[in-house]
Amino acid sequence: MARDAGSSMETRASGKKNVSPKLCGTNYPLSIGFIVVNEFCERFSYYGMKALLTLYFIHYLHWDKNLSTAVYHAFSSLCYFTPVLGALIADSWLGKFWTITYLSILYVIGHVVKSVGAIPDVGDSTVHTVLSMLGLILIAFGTGGIKPCVAAFGGDQFEEEHTEERRKFFSIFYMSINAGSVLSTVITPILRGDVQCFGGDCYALAFGVPAALMVVALVVFVCGSGLYKKSPPEGNVMLRMFRCVGFAIGNRSKNSKHNSKREHWLDWAEEKYPKHLIQEIKMVMRVLVLYIPLPMFWALFEQQGSRWTLQATRMNMDLGGFVLKPDQMQMLNALLILVFIPIFDLGVYPLIGLCRIKLTPLRKMATGMIIAALAFGAATVVELNVIKTVVAPPLAKESLLQVVNLADRDVKVSIQGQEDIFPHPIKPYEDPPEYKKLMLKDQNQNLSVSIGSISECVETFSQQEAYSLVLYPATSHIYCILVRRFINTRNEDLNITVGNVEFFVPANFGMSTGKAVERQHFKCKLALCDKLIVNFLASYQGPGAVEIQVMEDVQANNINIAWQIPQYVLITAGEVMFSITGLEFSYSQAPASMKSVLQAGWLMTVAFGNVIVLIVAEGAGLQQWTEFLLFGGLLVAVCIIFSIMAYFYNYVNPDQLGKDNDDEEHKDLKKDNPEMMYMTAFEAPKPTKM
């Protein structure tokens, strides 16, 4: 019943042909203005939300980096699986307009649920996780479902003869996508980090703004309803293709023993399906086979929002007085794509042509893969420099320990069973020695700590934890305490504010909780750190005065974020040569009726690329630089396989495809005329290799 209602709504809407008013006397329908604004707001909504996800998982939901990466790519993968569902709904049931409208409502609900899940006062951590995952699932179905519909719906608004205007519309349409991406990945991280709410980063606001933009996108789209040209659903070509393939396989398995072999296995569908459909499916299959190696490229490309963002969190984000947020670096890709497209089209490709090098589409794609692999080579070099001062996390039955000496003399410290772990006396009020590894006999162990020859204390150490052991004087003895972050040596409580971050430190060597403080709030040595968590020691300096003494807990990493620029330049150059060329190649190698099948296949390669990252992140357990190197090496290997496949691919003349279909349709109308001949695209002039 609902299916009939959806179809009748679309049919009634299209029963009277809508002719949208034109923009300023041009051939551009006024309705496309609503579609472009809708796309800009929707892309702002999607990329603005997605830019925050990795840090949200780590700092708000308190997941580790591997789980955060896995869930990030699981979400991305779902966003590229669901377009197939959206296309089926639009073509077989509701039509494009109602599919976009209904799924946009689902999209808005997902954003709202996601934003509510980011409010600390709403439930506990379990509630936050459930709301976040539910919101992301709804967003994935919303954004993926409308993805194949919006651009096609915009193209439907033009008259058939206005092909040049339609081409320019798609350029404007994709410009709006990149504009929304650039602005959102700049703005939402600022809302997250620079606006404080609920005592920390304001994820609720940072997710709420994209939600508001999606509401605007929905309202703008619906407001243009009276101007749109709406076509009724005409059936989905993917379903026809799957049925034809299924029938061919079944018919072959039943009759192959009794009948003579046929030239192609799809020819077994001739008993039920027209020859022109079978020939079109053959053409599509040849391209889909070339898609098999492509997910590996997307496995690398999609890590900009996960592994590369995590790498940025450990780097110096200060660019000459302007401090970036780690999740803002992703905007560089969208910005560079706008610059690189004209540079490659007007500069790089013509220059290569002047060198008499034939750069076919498949060769461009293979080159794009190599460039993307080089991007991960650059990321590996950066990572190796970043980890030079990073403390390796303790493994099972291991703890890390450093000593902070607040006494007025040098102190020799020894640990039960590991007496030589600190071979030299600890000097007072100096930066603590590097973390030393303690070996434990169990998950938790009590160890005796000897302080010189006058004191001894017993502390409990747990596996895979890092500790600071503070030595402090009292009467004639020196005592020890395991602490973290601010340490208050006064006999009264302290409230300390650093920038906009507040710390409460109890009296009598009490300690505060650990919090991240932005780089710009520190001077001298602390200016070297981005979000360095340090130990602050508060002590008397004269009557009523307090001296804040800073002791560096972990040596700061001063690798500047600018060192990530080469890898972004390379991955974007690879995208221009691989992705844009790949879409153009796919569309030129299939009949018009099958282009939606190739679009679905292309999106599926992105989905499977994210699945590859998910598997490696959760299963490989490699160091980050090794993982980067692994991905780069795998892409080079896949590129070699793709190049071999491309060498044996015969290009189809795109002009011949339409002619062949017209000839076949004419033949169907004249079945009784034996002189009508069918000619396939495979009989076009001699094709070129890769």
Side-chain angles (χ1 to χ4, degrees):
M1 188 71 177
R3 176 176 178 173
D4 295 337
S7 299
S8 63
M9 283 190 291
E10 190 70 28
T11 305
R12 287 197 299 271
S14 59
K16 182 179 178 180
K17 188 176 180 180
N18 249 349
V19 179
S20 178
K22 306 298 182 184
L23 284 168
C24 304
T26 66
N27 290 322
Y28 292 96
L30 182 62
S31 57
I32 66 170
F34 293 89
I35 295 172
V36 170
V37 173
N38 164 269
E39 184 66 11
F40 169 82
C41 293
E42 188 273 327
R43 291 290 87 185
F44 186 108
S45 167
Y46 174 75
Y47 285 112
M49 177 276 305
K50 191 179 179 184
L52 308 171
L53 280 183
T54 300
L55 298 185
Y56 173 76
F57 294 151
I58 290 174
H59 298 306
Y60 185 83
L61 297 183
H62 306 295
W63 294 349
D64 63 52
K65 67 176 184 177
N66 288 333
L67 177 59
S68 301
T69 299
V71 174
Y72 175 91
H73 288 283
F75 167 72
S76 298
S77 179
L78 186 59
C79 289
Y80 285 97
F81 278 124
T82 49
V84 176
L85 180 62
L88 289 172
I89 294 172
D91 292 342
S92 305
W93 181 18
L94 296 176
K96 296 183 186 73
F97 174 78
W98 289 108
T99 299
I100 295 170
T101 301
Y102 291 148
L103 290 181
S104 292
I105 294 172
L106 189 70
Y107 201 162
V108 169
I109 294 172
H111 268 301
V112 171
V113 171
K114 183 79 186 67
S115 302
V116 172
I119 300 175
D121 293 343
V122 177
D124 56 13
S125 60
T126 302
V127 173
H128 298 157
T129 301
V130 170
L131 290 177
S132 297
M133 294 304 100
L134 177 60
L136 288 177
I137 291 171
L138 294 176
I139 289 171
F141 277 94
T143 188
I146 68 175
K147 192 184 293 290
C149 301
V150 179
F153 188 65
D156 290 346
Q157 306 308 305
F158 291 85
E159 303 297 330
E160 288 299 325
E161 62 270 19
H162 298 151
T163 55
E164 182 63 21
E165 286 82 0
R166 184 188 288 113
R167 186 188 67 78
K168 291 181 179 178
F169 159 73
F170 283 119
S171 296
I172 296 169
F173 183 85
Y174 289 112
M175 285 283 286
S176 72
I177 292 175
N178 284 284
S181 173
V182 170
L183 287 176
S184 63
T185 48
V186 170
I187 293 172
T188 54
I190 292 175
L191 296 176
R192 170 194 61 78
D194 291 351
V195 179
Q196 297 292 303
C197 62
F198 306 104
D201 284 354
C202 201
Y203 285 103
L205 175 64
F207 286 133
V209 170
L213 263 291
M214 191 57 220
V215 172
V216 173
L218 174 59
V219 171
V220 168
F221 182 76
V222 173
C223 285
S225 176
L227 301 174
Y228 298 138
K229 182 194 297 183
K230 304 171 188 173
S231 302
E234 299 175 350
N236 190 275
V237 68
M238 282 188 291
L239 290 178
R240 292 199 297 272
M241 175 180 166
F242 291 146
R243 288 169 183 157
C244 180
V245 170
F247 180 81
I249 294 172
N251 195 32
R252 181 188 181 187
S253 63
K254 290 178 183 177
N255 302 309
S256 59
K257 294 180 180 179
H258 309 290
N259 296 338
S260 60
K261 292 184 178 180
R262 304 191 184 184
E263 185 177 351
H264 193 281
W265 63 271
L266 274 170
D267 293 335
W268 288 96
E270 288 179 349
E271 286 84 348
K272 184 175 181 180
Y273 293 92
K275 286 186 177 180
H276 76 87
L277 176 63
I278 295 172
Q279 293 297 335
E280 288 176 348
I281 295 174
K282 288 179 183 178
M283 299 173 197
V284 169
M285 288 295 219
R286 294 170 65 245
V287 178
L288 290 179
V289 169
L290 283 177
Y291 281 4
I292 294 173
L294 304 190
M296 200 65 230
F297 173 88
W298 298 113
L300 276 69
F301 181 84
E302 289 287 307
Q303 291 186 57
Q304 294 174 70
S306 57
R307 294 305 205 197
W308 285 14
T309 297
L310 291 174
Q311 185 184 71
T313 62
R314 294 173 288 137
M315 299 177 73
N316 180 349
M317 304 298 294
D318 192 345
L319 290 175
F322 178 73
V323 181
L324 281 175
K325 302 287 188 294
D327 36 3
Q328 284 180 320
M329 281 299 290
Q330 301 169 60
M331 65 87 183
L332 200 56
N333 172 253
L335 197 60
L336 287 172
I337 201 79
L338 299 176
V339 177
F340 280 4
I341 289 175
I343 289 177
F344 274 76
D345 286 342
L346 303 177
V348 175
Y349 295 151
L351 284 174
I352 293 175
L354 290 175
C355 297
R356 297 184 180 180
I357 298 174
K358 189 165 185 178
L359 201 58
T360 62
L362 293 178
R363 287 175 179 170
K364 288 181 184 178
M365 293 174 68
T367 305
M369 289 182 176
I370 295 297
I371 295 174
L374 291 175
F376 267 64
T380 302
V381 173
V382 172
E383 183 67 20
L384 286 171
N385 283 278
V386 166
I387 64 175
K388 283 182 179 178
T389 57
V390 172
V391 177
L395 304 175
K397 294 186 178 181
E398 292 180 356
S399 289
L400 296 180
L401 178 65
Q402 65 175 3
V403 179
V404 179
N405 184 6
L406 303 187
D408 55 1
R409 56 184 176 268
D410 294 357
V411 179
K412 180 70 170 69
V413 176
S414 60
I415 309 295
Q416 173 188 345
Q418 303 173 61
E419 286 76 10
D420 296 331
I421 193 170
F422 296 103
H424 305 293
I426 311 298
K427 296 185 178 300
Y429 286 91
E430 283 193 350
D431 288 342
E434 63 182 12
Y435 278 100
K436 302 292 185 178
K437 188 179 296 184
L438 287 178
M439 306 306 296
L440 307 179
K441 295 180 179 179
D442 207 342
Q443 295 182 1
N444 301 287
Q445 184 178 354
N446 293 328
L447 293 175
S448 175
V449 180
S450 299
I451 306 167
S453 59
I454 56 175
S455 299
E456 185 176 291
C457 59
V458 177
E459 299 290 349
T460 301
F461 295 89
S462 300
Q463 68 175 4
Q464 298 181 315
E465 294 287 345
Y467 297 95
S468 293
L469 184 72
V470 176
L471 311 178
Y472 63 95
T475 63
S476 60
H477 293 280
I478 299 177
Y479 296 94
C480 66
I481 182 174
L482 284 178
V483 300
R484 294 172 184 268
R485 319 317 167 200
F486 282 98
I487 308 163
N488 183 6
T489 65
R490 295 166 60 92
N491 57 6
E492 58 184 298
D493 296 341
L494 287 177
N495 289 294
I496 300 174
T497 301
V498 181
N500 54 4
V501 182
E502 295 184 353
F503 298 84
F504 171 74
V505 196
N508 299 320
F509 293 92
M511 58 183 174
S512 70
T513 56
K515 296 184 180 181
V517 182
E518 298 289 350
R519 168 192 303 276
Q520 62 265 33
H521 300 309
F522 295 115
K523 305 294 182 185
C524 304
K525 282 173 44 174
L526 288 179
L528 296 175
C529 67
D530 175 33
K531 284 190 171 182
L532 177 65
I533 300 177
V534 297
N535 286 328
F536 287 79
L537 308 178
S539 62
Y540 281 114
Q541 186 183 7
V546 176
E547 176 190 2
I548 302 294
Q549 179 161 341
V550 179
M551 301 179 71
E552 196 172 13
D553 187 282
V554 178
Q555 184 183 352
N557 196 321
N558 201 33
I559 305 298
N560 195 276
I561 191 62
W563 286 104
Q564 270 199 338
I565 293 176
Q567 62 200 58
Y568 275 97
V569 170
L570 288 168
I571 200 74
T572 306
E575 179 189 8
V576 171
M577 297 196 75
F578 177 87
S579 180
I580 296 174
T581 305
L583 285 170
E584 292 173 355
F585 164 78
S586 301
Y587 272 58
S588 72
Q589 297 298 292
S593 63
M594 290 287 175
K595 295 190 189 301
S596 62
V597 176
L598 288 182
Q599 175 70 6
W602 184 263
L603 294 175
M604 293 290 279
T605 66
V606 185
F608 282 111
N610 280 280
V611 172
I612 293 172
V613 185
L614 189 159
I615 294 170
V616 173
E618 277 295 286
L622 301 173
Q623 293 186 51
Q624 191 56 68
W625 70 269
T626 311
E627 187 180 292
F628 284 158
L629 208 57
L630 171 66
F631 275 111
L634 286 174
L635 186 57
V636 171
V638 166
C639 179
I640 294 171
I641 296 171
F642 175 77
S643 299
I644 295 170
M645 296 171 65
Y647 179 79
F648 292 100
Y649 179 83
N650 289 329
Y651 284 88
V652 172
N653 187 337
D655 296 328
Q656 188 67 31
L657 293 177
K659 182 177 181 300
D660 290 339
N661 287 340
D662 291 341
D663 290 345
E664 180 62 22
E665 289 174 5
H666 190 47
K667 176 185 175 182
D668 290 341
L669 294 174
K670 303 276 186 177
K671 288 181 181 178
D672 296 332
N673 187 349
E675 297 180 4
M676 297 278 302
M677 298 297 294
Y678 181 77
M679 175 179 172
T680 72
F682 298 105
E683 296 167 346
K686 184 72 176 177
T688 60
K689 294 286 185 184
M690 178 189 170

